[in-house]
């Protein structure tokens, strides 16, 4: 009895002690690898391929940070996290950063003490139903059984949406996207609701994607982005600017294919980005070629988008809000100077 | 801690604290105590330090904030505008519900299986052995998931109950088994139903009074009354009569297909059914072994003696074997009930909204109050377990060997 108390206390102490890591950058460098939290599996965003390597749009953010800090995009240890475990894993220091379609909200930023370092996908919550249900609007869903992942903004939006519209529903709480998919396909729920990008990605893996429709209503704003622990600003800046480097590179037309020749170009911002002029890398505590490493190993934002979720892939997401500001989208990296 | 027993006035040396057997154990205890206190204060200060590093405090105010999420199975009024505290309460009631249902069914299953495993019938005892070993030796989680998967994959969708859909309701259109759970008729308590309930409670009390009267009479005169039949009559007749005299105050609300789902009736969700059945079957297998051991612990001589006195097998079981076996059965039974209650937190596997899922799951996740939430959760399970074992101990005291 005494012994179990002691052991229990030791574990608690261990967990608590793990949290107090202020200088994440030093830890990552000393370890030689980046610990990145991703989802348990959402094709296109984070999933393992046939060889067991993690690939996806969120995975690329992890790889970009690893390339910037360690010079090698493959030096990432991925930790699959459910929607319920992700914040605890980050707060306890189990991971260095989270890149897992996580919505930036006020209370997550200020109450949960996360630090969101930008937005890599502007999204909104949608509904998917089987076509033969004959539903054309979310307002027709009175009395429906809805599959939702717990511990998400999704379940909060859903409660608000149904209450405001004065209709009822039966929530079926689910841990992971894979389980939700299985329950939805078995017909244990009429509707699956999550971020629209997640719906498209899930539908792309169905045997009969055409048999399912995504309803026109988008009921929320879901700016999805990477997050780090509150309080380590240097580390937060590195993650923030790694993402910005990918976005700026697309705007400046720097790709993984032409990065070498662009490094020799005489456009000042490109020079600063790629480290041939100025000392931006040193300001972050990184090598001068940090952004060049990101772009040559991972690619710019547009390349990553097209490779993982773009129109040529089964997920077939349009750029929409996620186009550069110059193309009418919301992507707008602050200047590199 | 600081007062030592009287020491001989002449020359107390410090080394005596270690080498003198009169003081040694005290010294060791004091040192251990100090180390333990130091350890715990380090633990607490470390936690406080780390919380403040993260910019977090230790505060239970979140319990009164609106929860914002919906819960499908609620035994009390709850909406997404209710507080996190109320969400926790909904979860607590759901935990208690499944634990209670589980304990009842597990006990019934366990007693039957335990007695039947001792049956002289080869087939029966073998079948029960398969049940017991099958459930005892496969992890509970697998059973929960298996039952849940069967329910949600193999049962028809509510849509299939429409005209020409191929599925139909059971028991005269009153029960629907779907892949979202089982819908059964729900009693509706009308006017006067409180009187009916009162009559029922009175007749149950009557049964107890009658039984103790019958026992006293048997002890005094040796006459045996037909206790079973009179109890059964007392159980049914007054309530049934009152039901008709009061003009049928209780009616049934039948489930009916409407829109996406069945409406009306009582909805037993898949998650509840899977968790309940798996917990009961699993714990029932352990209880079966406890019951069997209890019965076997009563020596054969007791049975033979009872037979020699002319008692029939049924009476031998009830009057001689079981009262002695119960003394062996009850204490391990208590720990099985506690196990079942705590195992109900495996609800996470099927999305049953127990207290782990509300307070320890969504609330913790939405508010970021891990430490507070998990402490409350631990406290709740502790209190519930103590209450269960306290209650069972009262019963144990009434059956245990009384030394006179
Ligand atoms: N953006 C929402 C919802 C996140 C979410 O539920 N994502 C799902 C689908 S888009 C997911 O990542 N599933 C993969 C998994 O279960 O691990 C949030 O941050 O709360």
């Amino acid at each position: 009895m005494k012994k179990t108390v002691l052991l229990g206390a030791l574990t608690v102490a261990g967990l608590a002690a793990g949290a107090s890591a202020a200088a994440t950058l030093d830890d990552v460098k000393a370890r030689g690898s980046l610990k990145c939290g991703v989802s348990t599996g959402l094709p296109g965003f984070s999933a393992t391929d046939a060889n067991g390597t993690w690939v996806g749009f969120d995975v690329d953010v992890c790889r970009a940070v690893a390339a910037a800090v360690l010079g090698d995009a493959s030096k990432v240890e991925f930790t699959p996290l459910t929607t319920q475990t992700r914040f605890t894993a980050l707060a306890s220091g189990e991971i260095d950063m989270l890149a897992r379609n996580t919505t930036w909200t006020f209370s997550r930023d200020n109450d949960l003490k996360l630090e969101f370092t930008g937005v890599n996908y502007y999204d909104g919550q949608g509904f998917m139903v089987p076509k033969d249900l004959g539903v054309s609007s979310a307002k027709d869903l009175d009395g429906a059984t809805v599959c939702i992942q717990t511990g998400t903004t999704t379940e909060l939006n859903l409660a608000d949406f149904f209450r405001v519209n004065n209709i009822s529903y039966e929530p079926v709480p689910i841990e992971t996207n894979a389980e939700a998919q299985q329950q939805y396909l078995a017909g244990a729920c009429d509707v699956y609701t999550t971020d629209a990008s997640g719906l498209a990605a899930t539908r792309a893996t169905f045997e009969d994607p055409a048999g399912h429709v995504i309803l026109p209503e988008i009921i929320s704003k879901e700016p999805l982005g990477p997050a780090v622990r509150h309080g380590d600003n240097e580390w937060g800046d590195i993650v923030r600017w790694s993402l910005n480097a990918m976005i700026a590179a697309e705007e400046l037309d720097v790709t993984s294919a032409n990065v070498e020749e662009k490094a020799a170009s005489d456009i000042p911002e490109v020079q600063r980005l790629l480290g041939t002029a100025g000392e931006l890398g040193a300001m972050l505590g990184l090598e001068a070629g940090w952004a060049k490493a990101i772009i040559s190993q991972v690619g710019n934002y547009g390349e990553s988008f097209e490779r993982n979720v773009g129109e040529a892939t089964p997920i077939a997401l349009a750029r929409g809000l996620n186009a550069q500001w110059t193309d009418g989208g919301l992507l707008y990296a602050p200047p590199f100077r | 801690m600081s007062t030592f027993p009287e020491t001989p006035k002449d020359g107390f040396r410090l080394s005596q604290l270690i080498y003198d057997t009169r003081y040694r154990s005290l010294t060791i205890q004091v040192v251990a105590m100090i180390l333990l206190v130091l350890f715990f204060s380090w633990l607490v200060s470390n936690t406080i330090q780390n919380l403040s590093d993260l910019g977090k405090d230790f505060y239970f105010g979140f319990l009164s904030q609106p929860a914002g999420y919906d819960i499908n199975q609620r035994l009390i009024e709850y909406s997404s505008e209710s507080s996190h505290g109320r969400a926790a309460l909904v979860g607590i009631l759901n935990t208690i519900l499944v634990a209670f249902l589980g304990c009842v069914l597990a006990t019934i299953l366990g007693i039957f299986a335990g007695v039947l495993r001792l049956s002289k019938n080869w087939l029966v005892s073998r079948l029960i052995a398969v049940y017991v070993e099958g459930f005892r030796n496969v992890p509970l989680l697998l059973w929960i998931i298996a039952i849940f998967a069967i329910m949600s994959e193999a049962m028809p969708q509510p849509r299939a109950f429409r005209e020409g859909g191929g599925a139909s309701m059971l028991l005269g259109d009153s029960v629907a088994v779907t892949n979202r759970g089982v819908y059964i008729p729900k009693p509706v308590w009308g006017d006067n139903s409180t009187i009916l309930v009162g009559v029922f409670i009175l007749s149950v009390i009557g049964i107890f009074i009658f039984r103790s009267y019958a026992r006293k009479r048997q002890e005094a005169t040796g006459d045996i009354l037909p206790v079973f039949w009179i109890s059964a009559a007392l159980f049914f007749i007054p309530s049934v009569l009152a039901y008709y005299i009061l003009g049928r105050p209780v009616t049934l609300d039948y489930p009916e297909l409407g829109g996406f789902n069945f409406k009306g009736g009582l909805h037993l969700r898949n998650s509840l059914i899977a968790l309940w059945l798996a917990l009961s079957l699993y714990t029932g297998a352990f209880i079966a072994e406890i019951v069997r051991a209890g019965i076997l612990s009563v020596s054969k001589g007791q049975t033979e003696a009872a037979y020699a006195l002319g008692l029939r097998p049924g009476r031998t079981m009830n009057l001689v074997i079981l009262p002695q076996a119960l003394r062996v059965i009850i204490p391990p039974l208590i720990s099985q009930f506690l196990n079942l209650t705590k195992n109900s937190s495996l609800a996470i596997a099927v999305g049953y909204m127990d207290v782990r899922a509300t307070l320890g799951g969504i609330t913790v996740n939405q508010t970021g109050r891990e430490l507070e939430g998990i402490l409350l959760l631990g406290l709740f399970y502790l209190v519930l377990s103590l209450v269960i074992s306290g209650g069972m101990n009262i019963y144990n005291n009434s059956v245990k060997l009384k030394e006179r």
Side-chain angles (χ1 to χ4, degrees), chain A residues 2 5-6 9-10 12-21 83-88 90-92 107-108 111-113 130 132-133 135 140-145 148 150-153 155-160 162-163 169-175 179 182-183 185-191 229-231, chain B residues 36 39-40 42-43 46-51 53-57 62 67-74 79-81 148-149 152-159 162 179-180 183 258-263 267 269-271 348-353 356-357 360-371:
Chain A
K2 276 252 174 60
V5 170
L6 238 120
L10 274 174
V12 173
L15 283 179
S20 63
T83 37
Q84 282 210 31
T85 52
R86 54 187 161 168
F87 302 134
T88 318
L90 184 60
S92 69
S107 61
R108 285 178 180 173
D111 196 23
L112 265 67
K113 305 293 181 197
D132 55 14
L133 211 55
V135 173
D140 299 340
L141 290 174
D142 191 13
T145 303
I148 36 159
T150 58
T152 57
T153 49
E155 65 189 344
L156 305 180
N157 299 330
L158 188 70
D160 286 350
F162 276 80
R163 199 182 61 238
Y169 71 107
E170 155 94 14
V172 177
I174 286 171
E175 286 289 306
E179 279 169 57
Q182 180 236 329
Q183 292 279 304
L185 287 178
C189 38
D190 300 302
V191 192
R229 268 182 301 282
H230 193 93
Chain B
L36 207 65
F39 174 71
F40 275 103
W42 170 75
L43 205 65
N46 189 42
T47 310
I48 292 172
Q49 172 69 39
N50 280 315
L51 279 177
D53 280 359
L54 285 172
K56 289 187 172 183
D57 52 1
F62 69 97
Y69 59 92
D70 283 303
I71 300 177
N72 49 15
Q73 177 179 306
R74 0 171 236 274
S79 79
S80 58
E81 281 166 310
F148 186 72
S152 57
E153 298 281 347
M155 300 302 160
Q157 293 187 30
R159 278 198 274 166
R162 296 227 183 95
N179 66 348
R180 293 170 192 180
Y183 295 81
F260 292 97
N261 280 309
F262 279 88
K263 295 223 167 81
H267 182 192
R269 290 175 180 77
N270 272 347
S271 51
I348 187 174
V350 288
Y352 179 74
M353 295 301 277
R356 210 285 324 154
I362 303 180
T363 292
V364 158
N365 190 273
Q366 302 286 11
T367 60
R369 300 279 169 186
E370 288 97 354
L371 198 59

Side-chain angles (χ1 to χ4, degrees), chain A residues 110-132:
Chain A
N110 301 306
D111 196 23
L112 265 67
K113 305 293 181 197
L114 305 186
E115 176 92 11
F116 284 88
T117 58
V119 175
N120 70 333
Y121 193 96
Y122 289 92
D123 208 345
Q125 182 176 339
F127 296 91
M128 175 164 67
V129 292
K131 210 173 223 157
D132 55 14

Side-chain angles (χ1 to χ4, degrees), chain A residues 38-42 81-83 86-87 100-104 108 123 149 151-154 175-178 192 194-199 202 222 224:
Chain A
V38 290
S39 80
T40 59
L42 184 65
L81 297 167
T82 66
T83 37
R86 54 187 161 168
F87 302 134
R100 190 206 175 287
N101 29 41
T102 295
T103 306
W104 182 355
R108 285 178 180 173
D123 208 345
Q149 278 186 255
T152 57
T153 49
T154 317
E175 286 289 306
T176 67
N177 195 54
Y192 180 32
T194 184
D195 303 336
S197 63
L199 290 179
T202 308
E222 308 285 333
L224 310 178

Side-chain angles (χ1 to χ4, degrees), chain B residues 85-101:
Chain B
R86 196 159 178 91
L89 192 61
V90 172
I92 285 177
L93 291 176
N94 285 345
T95 294
I96 294 178
L97 174 74
V98 76
F100 175 77
L101 291 176

Side-chain angles (χ1 to χ4, degrees), chain A:
Chain A
M1 167 58 202
K2 276 252 174 60
K3 209 183 235 162
T4 44
V5 170
L6 238 120
L7 283 179
L10 274 174
T11 4
V12 173
L15 283 179
S20 63
T24 314
L25 176 61
D26 297 338
D27 290 351
V28 173
K29 278 186 174 158
R31 205 188 301 125
S33 73
L34 172 77
K35 290 191 186 164
C36 195
V38 290
S39 80
T40 59
L42 184 65
F45 286 86
S46 44
T48 45
D49 68 6
N51 305 323
T53 344
W54 283 92
V55 290
F57 189 61
D58 281 337
V59 165
D60 278 354
V61 178
C62 304
R63 296 208 182 279
V65 174
V69 175
L70 303 165
D72 186 346
S74 66
K75 290 203 171 139
V76 191
E77 286 171 44
F78 291 97
T79 307
L81 297 167
T82 66
T83 37
Q84 282 210 31
T85 52
R86 54 187 161 168
F87 302 134
T88 318
L90 184 60
S92 69
E94 204 183 309
I95 54 174
D96 302 316
M97 62 175 283
L98 182 73
R100 190 206 175 287
N101 29 41
T102 295
T103 306
W104 182 355
T105 70
F106 185 95
S107 61
R108 285 178 180 173
D109 202 334
N110 301 306
D111 196 23
L112 265 67
K113 305 293 181 197
L114 305 186
E115 176 92 11
F116 284 88
T117 58
V119 175
N120 70 333
Y121 193 96
Y122 289 92
D123 208 345
Q125 182 176 339
F127 296 91
M128 175 164 67
V129 292
K131 210 173 223 157
D132 55 14
L133 211 55
V135 173
S136 57
S137 155
K139 303 225 168 87
D140 299 340
L141 290 174
D142 191 13
T145 303
V146 184
C147 277
I148 36 159
Q149 278 186 255
T150 58
T152 57
T153 49
T154 317
E155 65 189 344
L156 305 180
N157 299 330
L158 188 70
D160 286 350
F161 176 78
F162 276 80
R163 199 182 61 238
V164 167
N165 286 294
N166 225 339
I167 49 182
S168 67
Y169 71 107
E170 155 94 14
V172 177
I174 286 171
E175 286 289 306
T176 67
N177 195 54
E179 279 169 57
Q181 175 173 339
Q182 180 236 329
Q183 292 279 304
Y184 171 76
L185 287 178
C189 38
D190 300 302
V191 192
Y192 180 32
T193 180
T194 184
D195 303 336
S197 63
L199 290 179
T202 308
R203 183 173 66 168
T205 64
F206 289 179
E207 237 164 68
D208 170 28
H212 301 268
V213 285
I214 294 176
L215 297 179
E217 282 94 344
I218 294 292
I219 65 166
S220 68
K221 290 191 290 188
E222 308 285 333
L224 310 178
V228 297
R229 268 182 301 282
H230 193 93
D232 187 348
N233 294 348
E234 284 71 29
W235 179 244
D237 287 340
I238 290 173
V239 177
R240 173 175 301 111
W241 286 94
S242 297
L243 176 59
N244 281 336
M246 290 176 74
I247 297 174
E250 183 183 25
E251 188 184 345
L252 298 169
D253 233 352
V254 183
T255 66
S256 56
N258 69 10
V259 64
E260 288 303 335
E261 66 195 72
K262 285 279 179 177
S265 90
D266 49 9
I267 307 166
E269 188 162 13
V270 173
Q271 286 181 333
R272 286 192 296 269
L273 175 69
L274 298 181
T276 38
E279 290 193 324
L280 297 193
M283 294 178 199
L284 275 180
L286 301 176
E287 309 276 316
W290 65 283
K292 196 170 152 197
I294 297 179
I295 296 153
S296 62
Q297 295 180 37
V298 184
N300 67 29
Y301 183 93
E303 288 179 272
S304 171
F305 193 100
E306 293 311 330
R307 181 169 68 233
N308 294 300
V309 294
E311 268 161 346
T313 67
I315 300 168
L317 291 173
R319 286 293 289 266
L321 289 178
N322 298 294
Q324 293 286 339
W325 63 287
T326 43
D327 299 332
L330 293 176
L331 293 188
Y332 188 102
F336 274 71
R337 73 160 64 250

